Amino acid sequence: MKHLRTFKILENKAEFNFKIRELKQKWKETDSKIDEVKSKIRLEKDGDKQELLVLTLQKLAAKQEMLKIDMQINKLKRTML
């Protein structure tokens, strides 16, 4: 029994609103990182480094999509209350 973890379940709309707000902030931070990487790609001359930056850009875009889905899930849970 000592290995069981207790998970906090969000119970009211205020907690869901706070979680959604945090996710939006993370989405905006990821968006600014994407802009930084895009500018680095334009300035980079070496093809290998450009390819690495493109892969980083794809990773950030995937992260942004996951955050968007998490926001939608939390919005649905909030409306179900």
Side-chain angles (χ1 to χ4, degrees):
M1 289 304 221
K2 67 180 180 178
H3 299 289
L4 295 178
R5 296 182 185 174
T6 58
F7 292 101
K8 183 179 178 184
I9 298 174
L10 301 177
E11 295 181 6
N12 59 20
K13 288 188 178 189
E15 291 176 358
F16 280 112
N17 289 337
F18 181 73
K19 182 69 175 172
I20 291 169
R21 200 173 317 121
E22 283 181 337
L23 291 170
K24 283 182 182 179
Q25 181 63 32
K26 288 180 184 178
W27 193 86
K28 288 178 185 177
E29 290 171 1
T30 305
D31 196 41
S32 65
K33 287 181 185 178
I34 286 174
D35 291 339
E36 290 174 13
V37 172
K38 283 181 181 178
S39 66
K40 286 180 183 178
I41 290 172
R42 288 186 204 109
L43 297 175
E44 189 60 50
K45 303 287 186 202
D46 186 19
D48 294 334
K49 290 183 182 179
Q50 269 186 340
E51 186 66 27
L52 184 64
L53 289 171
V54 168
L55 292 173
T56 303
L57 185 65
Q58 291 174 355
K59 180 183 85 170
L60 290 172
K63 178 182 175 183
Q64 204 171 30
E65 287 298 317
M66 289 184 344
L67 289 170
K68 192 176 186 180
I69 291 170
D70 284 344
M71 279 190 286
Q72 290 174 349
I73 289 170
N74 281 308
K75 286 178 182 179
L76 282 172
K77 286 181 180 179
R78 181 182 63 189
T79 57
M80 290 173 53
L81 284 180

